[in-house]
Amino acid sequence: MIPVGFEYARPGSVDEALALLTEHGEDATVLAGGHSLLPVMKLRLAAPELVIDIGRLPELSYITVDGDEVAIGAGTRHSTVETSSVLATECPLLPAVAATVGDPQVRHRGTLGGSLAHADPASDLPAAVLALGGDVVLRSTRGERKVPITSFYTGVFSTVKEPDELIVEIRVPRTGTAGWAYEKFNRRANDWAIVGVAVVDGRVGLVNMGSTPLRASTTEAALADGASIADAAALADQRTDPPADLTATADYRRHLARILTKRALTTAAG
Amino acid sequence: MSATVKVDMTVNGTGTSADVEPRLLLAHYLRDVVGLKATNIGCDTTSCGACTVLVDGESVKSCTVLAVQADGTSVTTMEGLEEAHPVTAAFRAEHGLQCGFCTPGMVMASVGLLSENPTPTEREVREGLEGNLCRCTGYHNIVRAVLAASGQDPQAATAHPSRSGA
Ligand SMILES: Cc1cc2nc3c(=O)[nH]c(=O)nc-3n(C[C@H](O)[C@H](O)[C@H](O)COP(=O)(O)OP(=O)(O)OC[C@H]3O[C@@H](n4cnc5c(N)ncnc54)[C@H](O)[C@@H]3O)c2cc1C
Ligand code: FES
Ligand code: FES
């Protein structure tokens, strides 16, 4: 399978990339790791006229502590997140979740920014950043804005990001020793999550339980009111709208959300 | 047709260069432009790992990387491993292949794995190769081969205490 022909640009800086995006608008698509974009281009479900390759901009690849937060460049690869010693101590949920993405080859290419931008509700990392209550930093030639992840997603494969904007950074709180866990349920090695549940510091993020990553808000509220883990987890599928597909019915996903939330909360409680 | 782009890439230690269409996949660059046919294309959907090569030392699936993305990098294919490479030698000794179709990708994924984790456990080998499918061997001999290539005794490293009694 071969993509439709396209023009290719590899800007040498974020500023150059932003200028190209402003100039070409919707005709241009950003390429980071390419592990979501190239498969859809090969299937010819996407046929951009211009591909802007930001995959090797050193400016977008970093993990640094900044006050109460860890700032992660959007171009940071899953394998770098997975093995980061900074994240291991400051925000251990994130490397643990990154380690469950695809396989080593996928993790050598895919990026955190690409995963958040792609907005696949079956992706692991968006729900993890949601559970963390992180922020997405967007930049264009018009300026920069910081969007809380809670208002970043608008639907399946869609976000509030404008076509001329790049995700440049993801900011997550330094959760340190707060309890955390990630439960990903799938049937075969290498598969996407049928359902995933990320827990950190009493917050719960759900993978594949609706058209966007979701917080199990009813569970979180019950926990805050002092409910037991079992009682709170039994509410994990409330206010969700899980899809039905070849791997699972919506009801089965609801069941998984409750069970996995119970397991994750139990692990996080140590 | 879109304008071609010049790429320069070191493949197995030798400089290569060509004007290519941006949509050319690295797997096709290696096979059709450079003429190295060890790298197989199996699924063409990032699932099977048959097309695995190393880019700057890291394993990638070359059916899902554009040749232009590998411009300026150093690529290693199975042809680039020396004759007596410990991983290929171990695949031979442990019968880590039957039809051989998955083998170039399996070997390159194993070389990449061992460079990141020189002494993996059996579980780490299985997880490290989770992106590579083999329809013939049932995987056990491949896992043994990688353990042997890491200098471990595959018999001891795959001994499961729970199965030893009985
Ligand atoms: C075989 C396979 C298995 C996988 N398994 C999993 C899995 O289990 N869990 C999981 O979560 N993911 C999985 N993935 C997806 C993988 O994590 C992707 O790498 C990731 O979703 C996209 O990141 P990328 O850098 O490759 O983005 P790309 O493919 O380069 O881009 C994806 C989209 O995001 C846009 N984009 C990228 N970066 C930016 C940016 N900085 N600013 C604005 N827009 C941007 C692009 O324009 C494009 O629309 C899998 C992929 C494959 C091929
Ligand atoms: S051919 Fe590339 S993963 Fe199967
Ligand atoms: S040896 Fe035949 S597919 Fe692996």
Side-chain angles (χ1 to χ4, degrees):
Chain A
M1 295 174 304
I2 295 166
V4 176
F6 54 84
E7 303 291 329
Y8 174 81
R10 191 163 65 234
S13 68
V14 170
D15 283 345
E16 272 181 53
L18 294 176
L20 283 169
L21 272 177
T22 300
E23 188 185 336
H24 295 274
E26 307 227 359
D27 295 335
T29 295
V30 165
L31 174 75
H35 270 49
S36 292
L37 182 59
L38 291 176
V40 296
M41 286 174 65
K42 287 172 72 179
L43 291 168
R44 302 202 168 193
L45 298 173
E49 282 174 24
L50 173 68
V51 167
I52 302 173
D53 185 356
I54 60 163
R56 279 196 277 167
L57 288 177
E59 265 179 275
L60 288 180
S61 181
Y62 56 86
I63 299 172
T64 47
V65 171
D66 184 6
D68 292 343
E69 295 175 321
V70 186
I72 307 169
T76 308
R77 298 187 190 272
H78 303 326
S79 54
T80 307
V81 170
E82 182 185 348
T83 54
S84 159
S85 55
V86 172
L87 288 172
T89 51
E90 301 297 341
C91 189
L93 172 69
L94 214 51
V97 173
T100 72
V101 171
D103 54 51
Q105 291 96 317
V106 171
R107 298 196 293 274
H108 285 145
R109 300 297 302 178
T111 66
L112 182 58
S115 190
L116 296 200
H118 192 59
D120 185 332
S123 280
D124 303 289
L125 287 159
V129 176
L130 186 67
L132 285 161
D135 293 314
V136 180
V137 182
L138 298 168
R139 196 186 296 165
S140 71
T141 53
R142 296 174 288 123
E144 191 172 282
R145 59 181 177 135
K146 190 162 85 175
V147 179
I149 185 95
T150 43
S151 42
F152 184 65
Y153 290 104
T154 54
V156 180
F157 300 124
S158 61
T159 72
V160 300
K161 184 181 79 61
E162 300 289 344
D164 66 339
E165 286 181 312
L166 266 189
I167 300 180
V168 288
E169 189 174 272
I170 293 89
R171 302 182 70 87
V172 292
R174 296 170 64 182
T175 57
T177 52
W180 62 274
Y182 186 54
E183 288 287 336
K184 176 174 180 171
F185 190 84
N186 55 16
R187 293 192 309 177
R188 300 174 306 189
N190 202 11
D191 263 354
W192 294 69
I194 296 174
V195 172
V197 177
V199 163
V200 58
D201 208 5
R203 294 183 301 269
V204 183
L206 303 174
V207 178
N208 225 357
M209 285 299 289
S211 55
T212 66
L214 294 173
R215 286 269 282 269
S217 48
T218 317
T219 296
E220 290 178 6
L223 286 172
D225 283 346
S228 69
I229 286 178
D231 289 346
L235 307 169
D237 64 317
Q238 290 201 2
R239 306 175 65 183
T240 66
D241 184 16
D245 56 29
L246 287 177
T247 49
T249 61
D251 274 349
Y252 182 53
R253 283 202 162 85
R254 289 181 180 280
H255 168 77
L256 284 176
R258 295 190 296 263
I259 298 291
L260 298 176
T261 298
K262 186 173 162 189
R263 286 184 195 162
L265 286 172
T266 306
T267 305
Chain B
M1 201 181 94
S2 40
T4 57
V5 176
K6 183 162 183 292
V7 296
D8 292 292
M9 197 185 304
T10 303
V11 179
N12 300 334
T14 305
T16 69
S17 180
D19 291 311
V20 303
E21 273 194 83
R23 62 177 172 169
L24 184 76
L25 300 171
L26 178 59
H28 292 137
Y29 180 85
L30 295 169
R31 290 178 57 87
D32 303 336
V33 178
V34 186
L36 294 172
K37 307 277 190 186
T39 304
N40 286 328
I41 298 172
C43 64
D44 206 6
T45 58
T46 338
S47 307
C48 74
C51 64
T52 300
V53 301
L54 304 184
V55 173
D56 289 337
E58 289 185 333
S59 59
V60 305
K61 294 178 174 178
S62 63
C63 71
T64 312
V65 177
L66 300 169
V68 288
Q69 287 178 286
D71 179 34
T73 67
S74 177
V75 175
T76 312
T77 70
M78 175 123 168
E79 288 100 334
L81 303 181
E82 69 269 27
E83 186 66 31
H85 190 280
V87 173
T88 45
F91 267 67
R92 212 175 288 134
E94 297 294 331
H95 302 283
L97 65 153
Q98 288 176 28
C99 81
F101 191 85
C102 70
T103 310
M106 203 61 93
V107 165
M108 296 318 291
S110 303
V111 173
L113 167 66
L114 292 177
S115 74
E116 288 171 7
N117 183 358
T119 325
T121 62
E122 178 192 357
R123 188 175 177 84
E124 287 167 347
V125 172
R126 290 184 184 276
E127 287 180 349
L129 296 179
E130 88 177 289
N132 293 71
L133 301 180
C134 174
R135 298 291 76 171
C136 302
T137 63
Y139 300 102
H140 297 307
N141 288 354
I142 292 174
V143 174
R144 291 172 59 91
V146 178
L147 291 167
S150 73
Q152 303 179 74
D153 171 3
Q155 202 61 42
T158 56
H160 295 270
S162 57
R163 288 187 218 148
S164 60

